[in-house]
């Protein structure tokens, strides 16, 4: 049993802290957001993440998990302090905004009164491990010792708890090998490969991994465009490719491109780092451009089918950037709804969990209580998020309720032939 402090109770910090508690450790989570801490103390979650609520409630009740806004309280007995604060893209050139990491490092430095290990879990530019070390050194008052270890996080929203407890690998970067070994001891019970390396390499592994995944998505989306032009079906192309062991089947789903709080910002931040170091990241630039184009292509298809969008009603199925989350950061829905509205369409939308977050971002959208209401009296229906509940919809009922039965399947969820049989004018992404 170890005593752990986690700074930041967002998707990563809350899941990490809760999972460490579930493994038997004593965990204190610190956040500057008082409303989040208040909610968590009363056994409620500020985010939607499957399976998390039960774990938070159980571990809180067992006295292994607590929440506070006070660093002094959170760090009191901590042997390990994890930094899991947000690192958003900055306006303009897209470099990672480190102000939250810097603030967290300052607070940790000021409250450092015993030896401990500081672990950076946030996705941060190469060199941030050294920056955190410098900040803590500057802020600390006494002679308590510390080491900084980089431990990037690879969990996926929507399956974060399962990912956290069953990681493919744990990456640890440090100059102090003993500190890295101490952190490794926290993960031993998970029985996964542990890669020990230097700080810069660990930080780079995270960016390179996300860039690779984003590149696969943009690759298959480029294939989708070519398939469409040449009369092939990208879904079957991906299936045929995926059986090749050298290729594999994951991250080969053509659609509206990647979104969320990681891939878009991490690809841009890596491009910025590469530029600053005198490199010319041509592939990353294309990955990012293709992704932006997918959203425009989807809207253009609907516009073409309707002969213009002014005065038309478009229904959106799903708003979250992917299923099983309420995260709307960089969601395709935000760009698509904005483009539709700018061209004079009325937009109706339904999402099973992201509506309240979406309301803060998309003000002119009419929010509906279910998929049928979003489709009713619309001139076109666009599938934006492939939520499971959309797979079993009564599509005959949907078609019957629409003004014109145009279905733009942005996630290739439905069988084109079946949809046409039902009377839809169907368009997928990369299949005719
Ligand atoms: P988030 O925005 O959901 O949560 C960040 C939390 O940190 C917020 O609750 C915020 O109030 C808190 N915070 C900010 N400054 C603070 C401070 N000085 N002291 C205490 N708390 C503070 O962010 P997230 O999605 O959990 O991402 C965190 C990091 O992990 C980012 O670097 C991200 O790139 C990375 N990451 C995210 C995911 C993901 O799926 N979300 C996956 C892997 C890695």
């Amino acid at each position: 049993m170890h005593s752990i402090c986690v700074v930041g109770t967002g998707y990563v910090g809350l899941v990490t802290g809760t999972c460490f508690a579930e493994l038997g450790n004593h965990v204190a989570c610190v956040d500057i957001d008082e409303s989040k801490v208040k909610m968590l103390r009363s056994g409620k979650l500020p985010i939607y993440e499957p399976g998390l609520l039960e774990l938070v409630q159980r571990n809180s009740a067992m006295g292994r998990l607590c929440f506070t806004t006070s660093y002094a309280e959170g760090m009191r007995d901590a042997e390990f302090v994890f930094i899991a604060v947000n690192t958003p893209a900055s306006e303009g050139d897209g470099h990672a905004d480190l102000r939250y990491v810097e603030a967290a490092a300052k607070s940790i430095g000021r409250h450092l009164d015993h030896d401990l290990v500081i672990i950076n879990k946030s996705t941060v530019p190469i060199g941030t491990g050294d920056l955190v070390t410098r900040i803590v050194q500057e802020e600390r008052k006494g002679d308590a010792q510390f080491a900084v270890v980089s431990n990037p996080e690879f969990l996926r929203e929507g399956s974060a708890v399962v990912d956290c407890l069953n990681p493919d690998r744990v990456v640890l970067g440090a100059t102090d090998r003993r500190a890295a070994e101490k952190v490794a001891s926290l993960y031993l019970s998970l029985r996964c490969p542990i890669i020990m390396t230097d700080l810069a390499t660990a930080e780079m592994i995270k960016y390179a991994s996300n860039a690779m995944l984003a590149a696969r998505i943009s690759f298959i989306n480029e294939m989708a465009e070519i398939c469409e032009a040449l009369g092939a079906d990208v879904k079957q192309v991906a299936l045929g490719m995926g059986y090749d062991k050298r290729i594999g089947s994951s991250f080969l789903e053509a659609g509206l491109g990647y979104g969320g709080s990681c891939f878009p910002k991490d690809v841009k931040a890596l491009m910025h780092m590469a530029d600053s170091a005198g490199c010319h990241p041509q592939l990353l630039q294309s990955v990012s451009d293709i992704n932006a184009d997918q959203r425009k292509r989807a809207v253009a298809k609907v516009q073409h089918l309707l002969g213009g969008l002014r005065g038309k009603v478009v229904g959106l199925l799903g708003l979250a950037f992917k299923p099983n989350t309420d995260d709307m950061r960089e969601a395709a829905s935000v760009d698509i709804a904005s483009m539709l509205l700018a061209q004079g369409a009325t937009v109706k939308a339904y999402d099973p969990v992201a509506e309240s977050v979406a309301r803060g971002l998309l003000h002119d959208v009419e929010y509906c209580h279910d998929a049928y209401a979003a489709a009713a009296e619309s001139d076109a229906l666009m599938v934006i998020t492939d939520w499971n509940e959309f797979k079993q919809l009564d599509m005959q009922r949907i078609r019957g309720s629409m003004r014109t039965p145009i279905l733009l399947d942005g996630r290739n969820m439905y069988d084109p032939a079946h949809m046409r049989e039902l009377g839809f004018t169907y368009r997928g992404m990369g299949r005719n």
Side-chain angles (χ1 to χ4, degrees), residues 7-13 30-33 36 71 84-87 100 103-104 107 121-123 153-157 206 261-262 265-266 327 329:
V7 175
T9 58
Y11 291 89
V12 168
V30 180
D31 204 291
I32 47 170
D33 185 333
K36 273 193 183 177
Y71 276 81
V85 300
N86 37 332
T87 50
Y100 305 101
S107 303
K121 211 164 230 323
S122 295
T123 303
E153 180 53 58
F154 299 96
L155 63 76
R156 298 160 298 174
E157 285 172 24
K206 175 64 189 174
S261 67
C262 293
K265 82 168 169 67
D266 292 347
D327 200 343
R329 289 177 282 189

Side-chain angles (χ1 to χ4, degrees), residues 208-234:
S209 302
N210 276 2
M212 176 74 198
L213 295 170
R216 281 178 70 101
I217 296 173
S218 282
F219 173 85
I220 200 68
N221 281 331
E222 184 156 288
M223 292 305 114
E225 190 183 2
I226 300 171
C227 283
E228 236 170 76
L230 301 180
D233 180 331
V234 75

Side-chain angles (χ1 to χ4, degrees), residues 209-357:
S209 302
N210 276 2
M212 176 74 198
L213 295 170
R216 281 178 70 101
I217 296 173
S218 282
F219 173 85
I220 200 68
N221 281 331
E222 184 156 288
M223 292 305 114
E225 190 183 2
I226 300 171
C227 283
E228 236 170 76
L230 301 180
D233 180 331
V234 75
K235 207 162 169 160
Q236 289 178 35
V237 169
L239 185 71
M241 288 167 65
Y243 281 111
D244 186 324
K245 289 191 189 66
R246 295 166 302 175
I247 296 174
S249 58
S250 62
F251 278 78
L252 280 185
E253 275 159 27
L256 300 172
Y258 56 81
S261 67
C262 293
F263 292 173
K265 82 168 169 67
D266 292 347
V267 170
K268 286 185 186 132
L270 183 54
M271 263 156 50
H272 180 265
M273 281 185 269
D275 271 336
S276 310
C279 305
H280 181 37
Q282 314 168 58
L283 176 62
L284 297 180
Q285 185 62 57
S286 299
V287 167
S288 198
D289 292 346
I290 292 167
N291 200 57
D293 281 355
Q294 286 307 101
R295 298 164 183 200
K296 294 181 197 148
R297 289 182 62 223
V299 173
K301 282 184 191 189
V302 174
Q303 185 197 26
H304 178 73
L305 288 168
L306 288 172
L309 288 163
R310 187 150 302 282
K312 302 291 183 186
V313 178
V314 181
L316 304 183
L317 290 189
L319 291 164
F321 89 91
K322 68 172 183 179
N324 300 321
T325 183
D326 59 349
D327 200 343
M328 287 286 298
R329 289 177 282 189
E330 301 275 347
S333 62
V334 177
D335 283 346
I336 288 174
S338 305
M339 284 186 257
L340 294 168
L341 291 165
Q343 293 183 56
T346 297
V347 179
K348 296 165 50 164
Y350 165 69
D351 189 282
V353 304
E355 181 184 323
S356 62
V357 185

